[in-house]
Every structure is written in structure tokens, then in C-alpha cells.
Amino acid sequence: MSHPSTRFRFARGAAIPLLAALFLAGAGTPLGGQEKPARTAVGKVLSPDGSILERPAGETKWRVLKQGDPVYSGDTLVGLPGAVIESKDGAVRLSLLADLDDLSPFPGLESAVILDVPGKKHDFAFTLDRGRVDVINQKKAGEARARVRFHEEDWNLTLKEPKTRVAMEMYGRWPRGIYWNKADDPPESPTLALVLVVVDGAVAVHHGNAEHAMHAPPGPAFLQWDSVVGADAPQRLDKLPAWADPDTKPTEVGKRRQANIRKLREGLVAKGLADTIAACLASDDTHVRKTGVVTLGAIDDLPGLIATLDESKHGDTRDDAIMVMRHWIGRGPGQDAKLFAALQKDKKFTPAQADIVLRLLHSFGQKDLARPETYEVLIEFLRHDKLAIRELAEYHIYRLVPEGKKIVYNPAGTKAELETAYKEWKKLVPDGELPKKPKDKPKE
């Protein structure tokens, strides 16, 4: 099998209909009370200044790291594409990467890890929080051992020889039809999925009671896991997928994004985090603004992200904020509740409005899409008092009803403009009716 398809299984549990809910709405503590472990230097930064942001455990402020700076256990590290960390003994190198060319099976936005103290059996240990990393054996001779934790998994990788390289990518998303509900106890969880590809050399992968002997293509080089059913057996690859192949040439889009990342890194060093993000968001270049929005999500700046969605004068930037928020709540359980609380901070949103935002950040299930009332609610929200809710309504209705693209609508427009577009939408999708199916099937 040369290109195995990446599956995304749906989280189990009863989905609460979004329609009814909309009408009604109008880092961790140590387990068992244990003391927080000591902060220990476990490696150093190899990449240029500004390529890695560090947040110590229990803190909220981020620090811009420089080349040669030590990195510590317990700290969250967010890496710009191309960031590189080396273990304390130099045995293992960890590269934090991103899909700048849109080739990956997962639409990840950034990569983040939490470093652990490796212990005697491992050369390097870390928790993969999100995104893509490459683990590389840097020894002159012999095998290197790395421990990787994610979700509730604990995997051990034995990289058999120098230059052995393994790519791992993890991504989370809420399945369609599974909606936010603050009354859920326990709350629903997004589905997390991970793929592992042996890029070079041979590696033994051990998790639970399973152990797999894998090696680079051609051969058993591909392994996938998700939080619903666990891991599959390794699959054969005849060649590396483009997203995992270090020799894949960047596209023009990738080159442009890489240039923006380089400017972001330089800005972080010269101006600091807050001023650099502010400059990105104020840029006349839509791609630079997007870099700023993605960075807000990467560093968990929820107030900044909310303000962008509800206040930005640029429609594309508000749309980017929706995309980043959808990624953010998909990272893992509890993200929804954090965003719900952040929306209500300083009374920016009422509880009912915050509830609507959270529900609209999820994707509609088939049952709701078969109800005329779903479209009625979305069309009503096109003239809601809150810009964020109008933007979210537009996000859904224009994707669900392609015929509506001929209707001119600006969520930040005047009341008269909103009302005009609203009336046109009511004509296109009358009350009690479903949208007409397009004559031509839309492209995937």
C-alpha cells in the first residue's frame, strides 16, 4: 500500500441536536495531589533565535528562546516550523515542523511538546501535545531510545541506528454532530488521531502489550492510532508520502508561508511576542494577518483570539479566527469549557451568547442538516447583535448552501445591509423548506 488513507473515527456517545440547543440558548494539576516535579534541564535549542516559545508549567507568560538556550522538563514548547531541540547528551534530535505546503493528512497549524525527564532507559522523553515532530537518532553509533506520551498513551521508540528518523503527527477534531453542551457530565471529547511514519532506518515501536518492527519504505513504515479504537498494525509503504519526505520540494505557497514565518521569528527576537502579533494583525497583507491569528491560538491567547473574531475589520481575518478556534477546541477534552469561560470574561459575551458561539464552532450532523429549522436559525443569526455570531453564521450557511454565494453579505456591514442580505436569504431558503440541492455535485 503506497498511500494508506488516514481514518478519523467518530467519538462515541449521544449527540445533542444543535438546533434545539441554539433555540434554548437565545495545563494540569499534578495527579493525586503530588508535588510538582523539579524543573530539570533536558536539552537545548539548536535552531535560530525566536524559533521556539517556552511556557514553564503553571505559568501563563511565554518566553522567546535563543539558539543554545537550555530547555526544561515540564515546560510547554511551541515551535515555529523548523525549530530543533537536542537532548542533553546529544543522542536525539527533535524537529518541530508544520504543513506549510498543505500536504499532510491532518490540517495542523502548529506543533507543541512538553519535555519530560528521560530516566535511565531513554535518551529523550516528551509529550506530544499537538502537531508534527520528527525524532532523529544523532548518535555516532548504536541505537537511541525515546519515550513519547500523548493522550493516555505511552510509546517507546527504539531508533536502531544513527540517522534513523521517525515522523509523528497528531491532530484533534470534533466529529460532525457532536456538540458543546455545558451540562454534559462527563463532557464529550474530540477525536484525536496520530500517524507515525519511519522516514529513514529501522525502529521498534512498543506500546501497551504490542511491539512492532518497522523500517523505512519499501516496507512496514506506516502506523496510525486514534482515541476511539487505538492503534492499527503497521502498514506497508512503497515510498514516503510527500508530507513526510524531507526531499519534497516546497510549493510556491509553502515558500511564501516560510517567508512569513521567518519574519515572525525575527519580530519575536526584536520586538517581543505581544508587539509582533499586534503588527501581524495590523498588516495590510492577509497572509501576515493569518500568521498572527495562528500565533494567538498557538500561545492560548483566548482574549486576543476572541477580540479578533468579534472586532477585526477584515473578513478574512475573522474567518481565520474561526478556523483557529475550531482547531483549538479540538486539541483535547476541556478546551470547550475554557473558551466558554473566556468568552464571558469582562462580560464581553453573555452566557447565552457564549453558548451559541461554542455550538457554532462545531460542525452540523446529518440529522440537523435535514431539518429546515437549522437553516432558519442560521439565517436569523446573520443579523445578530454580535459580530462574532454573524461571522459564524456566515461561515456555516455559505458552506451549506452554495447557491447563497450570489448574495452579497458582510457581517460587519450596516444594519440596512444586514437586513437586505437577510431578506435575500429568506427568499432563497423559505421557512419550513430545505435548501434546493445544487444541480452539479460540489467538488470535495
Side-chain angles (χ1 to χ4, degrees):
M1 182 179 295
S2 59
H3 293 89
S5 60
T6 302
R7 57 159 158 43
F8 229 119
R9 296 193 172 97
F10 289 86
R12 295 188 175 93
I16 295 179
L18 179 61
L19 174 66
L22 289 174
F23 274 126
L24 291 172
T29 302
L31 297 176
Q34 298 175 0
E35 293 183 6
K36 188 171 73 173
R39 191 166 175 258
T40 304
V42 293
K44 66 178 180 180
V45 177
L46 291 187
S47 45
D49 296 358
S51 58
I52 295 179
L53 300 174
E54 171 195 68
R55 182 179 64 189
E59 298 185 16
T60 57
K61 291 185 178 180
W62 293 84
R63 186 165 74 96
V64 179
L65 297 186
K66 297 181 178 180
Q67 190 174 43
D69 278 351
V71 287
Y72 296 89
S73 61
D75 292 2
T76 298
L77 304 179
V78 170
L80 276 64
V84 181
I85 302 163
E86 187 175 71
S87 62
K88 194 172 183 179
D89 61 1
V92 174
R93 184 171 293 181
L94 186 71
S95 296
L96 287 80
L97 304 168
D99 182 28
L100 299 179
D101 299 293
D102 297 328
L103 299 174
S104 170
F106 299 145
L109 297 180
E110 80 278 347
S111 298
V113 298
I114 301 171
L115 303 184
D116 303 322
V117 177
K120 295 181 180 180
K121 295 183 179 180
H122 301 93
D123 298 293
F124 196 60
F126 66 96
T127 297
L128 178 57
D129 187 71
R130 59 191 183 274
R132 174 184 169 188
V133 297
D134 279 18
V135 186
I136 309 168
N137 181 345
Q138 288 295 116
K139 288 185 175 180
K140 294 182 179 179
E143 62 187 28
R145 296 176 180 268
R147 188 188 71 211
V148 186
R149 290 174 173 169
F150 55 92
H151 192 51
E152 297 175 353
E153 298 288 308
D154 194 336
W155 288 25
N156 292 286
L157 310 180
T158 302
L159 290 78
K160 294 294 187 177
E161 55 196 6
K163 297 184 180 180
T164 297
R165 182 170 185 158
V166 177
M168 300 183 72
E169 185 168 17
M170 188 172 75
Y171 175 71
R173 169 163 287 181
W174 283 96
R176 292 181 179 277
I178 303 294
Y179 304 118
W180 151 258
N181 184 357
K182 59 186 176 184
D184 280 350
D185 186 17
E188 293 277 3
S189 296
T191 299
L192 302 179
L194 176 137
V195 293
L196 179 152
V197 175
V198 182
V199 178
D200 198 0
V203 59
V205 180
H206 182 272
H207 59 91
N209 296 321
E211 185 166 357
H212 310 292
M214 302 177 65
H215 61 78
F222 183 90
L223 184 62
Q224 55 185 348
W225 166 96
D226 68 42
S227 58
V228 177
V229 299
D232 288 342
Q235 299 179 43
R236 175 183 173 84
L237 290 182
D238 295 326
K239 62 180 181 179
L240 288 172
W243 69 268
D245 190 344
D247 295 329
T248 298
K249 294 182 179 180
T251 63
E252 290 303 314
V253 171
K255 291 178 182 178
R256 183 181 64 205
R257 290 173 178 170
Q258 189 60 59
N260 287 338
I261 294 297
R262 184 170 57 253
K263 291 178 182 178
L264 175 64
R265 177 174 56 78
E266 293 170 352
L268 292 174
V269 175
K271 302 177 182 179
L273 187 56
D275 288 346
T276 300
I277 294 177
C280 287
L281 296 176
S283 173
D284 292 331
D285 188 327
T286 180
H287 304 291
V288 174
R289 293 198 299 271
K290 183 174 183 177
T291 301
V293 179
V294 171
T295 306
L296 288 173
I299 64 171
D300 303 319
D301 187 346
L302 294 182
L305 201 54
I306 292 166
T308 301
L309 175 60
D310 199 43
E311 299 173 14
S312 176
K313 64 181 181 180
H314 301 287
D316 59 283
T317 303
R318 297 192 301 270
D319 198 61
D320 288 337
I322 292 174
M323 180 258 305
V324 172
M325 281 184 172
R326 283 167 58 87
H327 279 71
W328 196 90
I329 63 174
R331 286 189 200 167
Q335 295 290 97
D336 267 352
K338 293 176 183 177
L339 181 54
F340 182 66
L343 285 162
Q344 298 172 74
K345 190 175 181 180
D346 300 326
K347 298 183 179 180
K348 296 285 186 180
F349 288 73
T350 67
Q353 291 169 345
D355 203 52
I356 292 172
V357 170
L358 260 298
R359 295 178 189 279
L360 289 178
L361 285 171
H362 289 240
S363 296
F364 289 90
Q366 291 301 316
K367 288 184 179 180
D368 280 314
L369 294 179
R371 295 177 176 133
E373 296 87 351
T374 296
Y375 304 92
E376 293 173 19
V377 170
L378 287 175
I379 293 171
E380 286 298 327
F381 284 164
L382 291 175
R383 55 178 185 174
H384 196 279
D385 290 340
K386 296 293 290 184
L387 173 57
I389 293 175
R390 297 197 298 271
E391 189 71 38
L392 282 159
E394 180 200 36
Y395 173 88
H396 284 289
I397 196 69
Y398 277 84
R399 286 166 171 80
L400 295 174
V401 188
E403 279 291 308
K405 291 181 179 179
K406 62 186 179 183
I407 299 175
V408 178
Y409 175 73
N410 176 12
T414 65
K415 286 187 177 182
E417 291 170 337
L418 297 177
E419 190 64 25
T420 298
Y422 167 79
K423 290 178 179 178
E424 290 186 47
W425 269 104
K426 296 301 283 187
K427 290 180 181 178
L428 181 62
V429 188
D431 289 351
E433 296 184 17
L434 291 172
K436 295 178 180 179
K437 293 183 179 181
K439 294 181 181 179
D440 298 322
K441 184 177 179 181
K443 294 181 180 180
E444 293 292 336

